[in-house]
Amino acid sequence: MDGLMLSYIVRELTEKLTGSRVDRVLQPEKDELHLLLRGQSGTYRLLLCASANNARVHLTNAAKPNPTEPPMFCMLLRKQLQGGRVQAVSQVAGDRVVEIAFQCADEMGERVRRDLVCEIMGRHSNLILRDAQGRILDAIHHVGANISRVREVKPGLLYTPPPAQAKLDPARATAGQLQAALESGAAKLDKALAEILMGFGRESSREVAYRLTGQEGARLDPAGRAALAGPLHALLSELPAFGPGVLLMDENGEAADVFPFAQQRFDPARQRPFPEGPSAAMDAFYTLRDKRERLAQKTAALARSIRANIERCENRLAIHEEALAADSRMEEARVCGELLTANLHLLGKARGQAEVTDYYTGKARVIALDPRLSPAQNAQRFFWQYRKLRAAQIYAKEQVHKIRGEIEMLASQLDDLRKCEEPLALDEIRAELVRSGHLRAAHTRGKARKMPPSEPMRVISSDGILIRVGRNSVQNDRLTLSAHGDALWLHAKDMAGSHVVVDHTGEVPEKTLWEAAHLAAWFSRGVGSGQVPVDYTRRRHVRKPSGAAAGFVVYTNQKTLYVTPDEALIKGLTRGEQ
């Protein structure tokens, strides 16, 4: 989001939000705010994001689930802004900084001014609340001297604007200023525009260069620089009237970029207009991208925790398997104890070693003794060693079985992460890991609000039949246990994977059966295999043992299909509405 796009957003916000009242303040993400505003022209949701990759400001229709407990910054904003009215929305000198002025009431009921500043500066992006005297009340990201020696952002300090750049404000620059800047600028026009105009990013500079010369990368000669100043000034003055916002689509039909107006340098067929306003184009572009990136970040963090737990389990498993390998030492201690006991009458007061006949082999055998102990005491010591090793082996066998089950459960949860498409499903995996003791529960000051359950994936088969797919162990449980007895149930054989239910009571058409089997194979640990065995049976033949882990069931009366996971087939299936 460069300064040019931001200027269109600011004009839209000024038109729609001025005079509106702050109804609610929400903070669904650690670096994102939603302000619910009510005015004469309607109700709006204003999104302000200080994410390093997706920092932006625009109106949105996308509501996100909120944390069970609001963060401190959110609670402060509720106290300071809720009930206040938007006085003005402004952009600072064409830069990527937006200031929203509110008229609010303080604790005494007196009218006071509060400014919410959104700085869109990549990894330095921030949301800052300041009072009428310019003092920082709080910020979504605190910046201390250890992070920046140039500019600290902490409660109580006077707000200092980001360092000014030696660039021209596109809305106020004169033709003479533009000519002087062009004459000392870079040789390529698009690069020169990015260097001299505040808030102009690479793409905006290329479009303006194309509109002026018919080329994105036009080079400037000394005579051409002066000649371009007038047309550039005229174009900059016309830009505010351009519109509507557009999405640029790639060859796969996915949104590749967003612009405040149609781009002449791209094929019009690849551009999808948004007459509703620039916020609508921004919202369409960022909603899916932001959701994917945040989900990917949270998934990666959870995957690291699961892998660390698997590594710890494998280390414990190695220790217990080593104890199991001590079987020969255990038997050796038992035999030595028995031979000494059987020959006590022949050994007398032997010290250091005892030579006896091994009645297991019939040969003479020398047994090393502890010289401090009598033969009888040495025999008891051998029996004590035997009992100790035997107890260790029994414990090790129990632990090996338990740890292998634990590793399998963790590996299954790791595979479930691959299938997550929404934060709620990710939260359910985290909750399962907390319940199993592999993650610490998040600390909350109050009672946590119960989140709604996530929904299984819904697919419509080629025959128009609904197929539902569980994407984690909790979903698998809910899906299977709630399905009717005649529904067809599928699962990859002998491996972790999704429960798949075909909601059809009669004979399932062959094409639907194969599509359901492909889904079961694709959403299983065997996704990379050439042939995946998939069992299928009626739901009434599936049961969950008492006390079994989430997602674990046993089944009978099954038949087996062998399928090769096909990504094209999976992507070609029609998703059903949730």
Side-chain angles (χ1 to χ4, degrees), residues 51 94 131 140 146 158 181 186 197 257 393 454 576:
S51 162
D131 62 17
I140 206 163
N146 58 325
L158 282 173
L197 293 175
D257 211 336
Q393 285 227 328
S454 64

Side-chain angles (χ1 to χ4, degrees), residues 36-107:
L36 273 59
L37 300 144
R38 189 185 302 274
Q40 292 183 349
S41 59
T43 301
Y44 300 98
R45 180 184 290 263
L46 176 62
L47 182 152
L48 304 103
C49 179
S51 162
N53 297 323
N54 296 318
R56 63 198 190 277
V57 178
H58 59 82
L59 299 175
T60 181
N61 292 318
K64 291 184 176 182
N66 291 292
T68 54
E69 185 178 356
M72 294 296 293
F73 187 60
C74 178
M75 290 195 291
L76 174 72
L77 289 181
R78 288 177 179 177
K79 179 182 177 182
Q80 295 286 339
L81 300 184
Q82 213 151 281
R85 294 191 177 275
V86 177
Q87 297 295 101
V89 183
S90 58
Q91 181 181 13
V92 178
D95 202 358
R96 294 176 297 167
V97 179
V98 178
E99 296 182 352
I100 307 175
F102 298 87
Q103 187 180 73
C104 309
D106 62 12
E107 294 87 345

Side-chain angles (χ1 to χ4, degrees), residues 173-233:
T174 64
Q177 290 173 325
L178 291 171
Q179 179 177 340
L182 284 172
E183 287 176 348
S184 60
K188 290 182 66 177
L189 179 56
D190 62 323
K191 189 174 180 181
L193 292 173
E195 289 176 350
I196 68 173
L197 293 175
M198 182 70 77
F200 265 56
R202 181 181 59 184
E203 297 300 326
S204 296
S205 300
R206 286 177 176 176
E207 176 63 18
V208 170
Y210 185 86
R211 287 175 179 260
L212 290 172
T213 66
Q215 302 175 47
E216 288 184 39
R219 301 189 70 83
L220 297 173
D221 55 43
R225 293 174 187 269
L228 278 175
L232 175 59
H233 182 262

Side-chain angles (χ1 to χ4, degrees), residues 107-271:
E107 294 87 345
M108 304 300 294
E110 299 291 331
R111 289 184 177 182
V112 294
R113 173 173 171 153
R114 296 288 181 261
D115 292 329
L116 188 56
V117 184
C118 182
E119 300 176 347
I120 302 171
M121 301 183 297
R123 63 189 180 93
H124 301 295
S125 299
N126 213 340
L127 300 175
I128 303 166
L129 182 69
R130 70 185 185 203
D131 62 17
Q133 289 72 44
R135 195 168 298 278
I136 297 172
L137 298 175
D138 205 354
I140 206 163
H141 300 309
H142 290 181
V143 180
N146 58 325
I147 300 175
S148 173
R149 291 178 295 176
V150 177
R151 178 173 175 258
E152 290 187 62
V153 179
K154 284 184 177 181
L157 298 180
L158 282 173
Y159 173 78
T160 304
Q165 296 177 286
K167 295 184 179 183
L168 300 174
D169 182 349
R172 295 180 174 83
T174 64
Q177 290 173 325
L178 291 171
Q179 179 177 340
L182 284 172
E183 287 176 348
S184 60
K188 290 182 66 177
L189 179 56
D190 62 323
K191 189 174 180 181
L193 292 173
E195 289 176 350
I196 68 173
L197 293 175
M198 182 70 77
F200 265 56
R202 181 181 59 184
E203 297 300 326
S204 296
S205 300
R206 286 177 176 176
E207 176 63 18
V208 170
Y210 185 86
R211 287 175 179 260
L212 290 172
T213 66
Q215 302 175 47
E216 288 184 39
R219 301 189 70 83
L220 297 173
D221 55 43
R225 293 174 187 269
L228 278 175
L232 175 59
H233 182 262
L235 179 58
L236 292 178
S237 64
E238 295 169 0
L239 283 181
F242 285 10
V246 297
L247 281 186
L248 179 68
M249 317 306 287
D250 62 18
E251 59 275 7
N252 297 319
E254 300 286 339
D257 211 336
V258 60
F259 299 104
F261 50 83
Q263 305 288 289
Q264 291 185 355
R265 60 203 169 102
F266 294 122
D267 182 358
R270 290 180 54 200
Q271 300 182 58

